[in-house]
Amino acid sequence: MQKIVTGFVFLIFLLFGVFFYFYFSGNEEIKNMVESVFPESFLSFTDHIRLTDEFGLNGVVSPKIEGGELTVGGIIEETNKRRENLGYSLLIEDETLNRTASKKIDDMFEGQYFAHISPKGEGVGDIAESLGYKFILIGDNLAMGNYSDDEDVVNAWMDSPGHRRNILDQRYEKIGVSAREGEYEERKIWMAVQVFSLPQSSCPMVDDNLEKEIEDKKNEIESVLMEIEKIKESIDDVERGSDLHIEKSEKYREFVQEYNLLLDEYNKIINSYNNQVKEREDCIKEKTSTSSF
């Protein structure tokens, strides 16, 4: 995006240079062309919004001495029951988010910490991105201790306002879960992680090919403008009315026509790009402005 904007600024300066050169040369055709038509600027936009909802430094902790086994499927099912009871859409299991949750547990056991942000300053958003997952919103719930079953751990999250907010957040569409037993502070204990997201794919993407088309068309326009400048200089050195002058003048008009055609094409591509950007940003705004519950 930065390269496109930089290139576009360069094109504007080039056009102004052509404007001042030919405006004072007395050539009405090129003067009118430069005065009347300028490439339309195109929108800039945020490729994605990274909003990680994290409530408190830690997750929920069970004080029980003994507990049962926790399962991925069971935790997802119990989570969706809470949403269904309120008439909210059910979360769809996502394998990459399952892997994100699993890596988060691995990191907590290995680093011997229990928090949304690791000692290295990384959260589930960083883990998801390292796995190639693209999101608009992402958040997580953590639990540690000996819970009776999947329902027990989900109830514990529901009893905590911040974790309940994640479970019932209507903006989220996908979920990933991991739960396993490991060693923490020299004792065996269970950890569970929920990861929630609104994926990038929930809103229409901007066609990446359009950016290349804009850049290619801009280069074509610059090339034609250089040819216009060259032939204009050569016309001035030829006797007016001679066969050579007529030939070069005709060539000049052909380049001007080509320039105008390229400019029309350029603006059409930009309009298409702008429309896609607006559609995506409107979608993101709508989906992220929904109240949590």
Side-chain angles (χ1 to χ4, degrees):
M1 172 63 69
Q2 185 176 4
K3 290 182 179 178
I4 293 178
V5 174
T6 302
F8 182 71
V9 171
F10 171 79
L11 177 59
I12 290 296
F13 277 106
L14 180 63
L15 287 171
F16 271 106
V18 174
F19 169 82
F20 284 112
Y21 178 84
F22 290 119
Y23 188 91
F24 294 104
S25 71
N27 187 293
E28 290 298 323
E29 185 173 4
I30 191 67
K31 172 183 172 182
N32 293 334
M33 178 189 75
V34 177
E35 281 185 338
S36 62
V37 187
F38 278 91
E40 179 182 333
S41 63
F42 52 93
L43 298 173
S44 61
F45 74 107
T46 303
D47 184 54
H48 72 283
I49 298 175
R50 180 172 179 175
L51 298 174
T52 303
D53 293 334
E54 292 162 347
F55 304 97
L57 294 177
N58 302 309
V60 296
V61 180
S62 171
K64 297 178 182 178
I65 297 176
E66 295 183 0
E69 185 172 330
L70 303 179
T71 67
V72 170
I75 291 175
I76 293 175
E77 181 180 359
E78 291 295 331
T79 298
N80 274 329
K81 281 182 182 179
R82 306 309 188 278
R83 292 175 67 95
E84 187 175 28
N85 289 340
L86 293 174
Y88 298 162
S89 62
L90 302 185
L91 297 170
I92 300 171
E93 182 178 0
D94 185 283
E95 185 54 40
T96 304
L97 292 183
N98 283 344
R99 291 169 58 202
T100 299
S102 179
K103 282 182 171 291
K104 177 63 178 176
I105 287 182
D106 289 344
D107 192 56
M108 287 192 293
F109 275 130
E110 290 172 9
Q112 291 293 287
Y113 73 93
F114 182 65
H116 292 284
I117 302 299
S118 74
K120 297 179 182 179
E122 297 180 343
V124 293
D126 301 292
I127 297 173
E129 287 182 332
S130 73
L131 295 174
Y133 188 81
K134 299 182 181 298
F135 56 85
I136 297 171
L137 296 173
I138 196 164
D140 63 312
N141 282 344
L142 310 180
M144 179 172 66
N146 297 309
Y147 294 90
S148 302
D149 50 27
D150 301 320
E151 181 180 12
D152 189 25
V153 70
V154 173
N155 283 339
W157 278 322
M158 289 294 289
D159 289 338
S160 169
H163 300 89
R164 174 187 174 89
R165 189 176 294 117
N166 265 341
I167 288 175
L168 299 181
D169 195 325
Q170 296 181 70
R171 299 173 300 177
Y172 291 134
E173 296 178 357
K174 300 294 181 71
I175 186 173
V177 170
S178 183
R180 71 177 180 84
E181 189 179 36
E183 187 171 306
Y184 182 78
E185 295 183 347
E186 299 182 349
R187 65 190 180 105
K188 288 288 186 180
I189 200 166
W190 279 82
M191 282 192 186
V193 174
Q194 290 178 307
V195 181
F196 309 90
S197 85
L198 174 64
Q200 283 267 359
S201 58
S202 294
C203 287
M205 300 295 291
V206 178
D207 185 358
D208 291 337
N209 293 326
L210 287 179
E211 292 191 16
K212 185 178 185 305
E213 288 182 36
I214 290 172
E215 182 69 19
D216 290 344
K217 196 63 64 178
K218 178 181 72 68
N219 291 334
E220 287 186 64
I221 290 172
E222 291 175 352
S223 177
V224 171
L225 282 173
M226 291 178 64
E227 292 300 324
I228 289 175
E229 184 175 356
K230 288 178 183 178
I231 197 168
K232 176 62 175 63
E233 291 176 354
S234 67
I235 289 176
D236 292 339
D237 295 332
V238 176
E239 181 183 354
R240 184 175 295 275
S242 66
D243 290 342
L244 185 57
H245 184 273
I246 294 173
E247 179 184 342
K248 287 182 176 294
S249 297
E250 181 60 31
K251 194 69 175 175
Y252 169 81
R253 283 191 289 271
E254 290 176 2
F255 276 121
V256 170
Q257 290 174 355
E258 183 180 358
Y259 168 86
N260 288 331
L261 288 174
L262 288 172
L263 203 56
D264 287 342
E265 294 171 2
Y266 182 81
N267 285 326
K268 286 178 182 178
I269 299 172
I270 288 176
N271 287 336
S272 177
Y273 180 87
N274 284 346
N275 290 336
Q276 290 188 24
V277 170
K278 187 177 187 305
E279 185 180 0
R280 175 169 177 77
E281 291 191 332
D282 287 347
C283 173
I284 291 175
K285 182 178 180 180
E286 179 183 358
K287 285 183 177 290
T288 57
S289 63
T290 305
S291 61
S292 297
F293 54 87

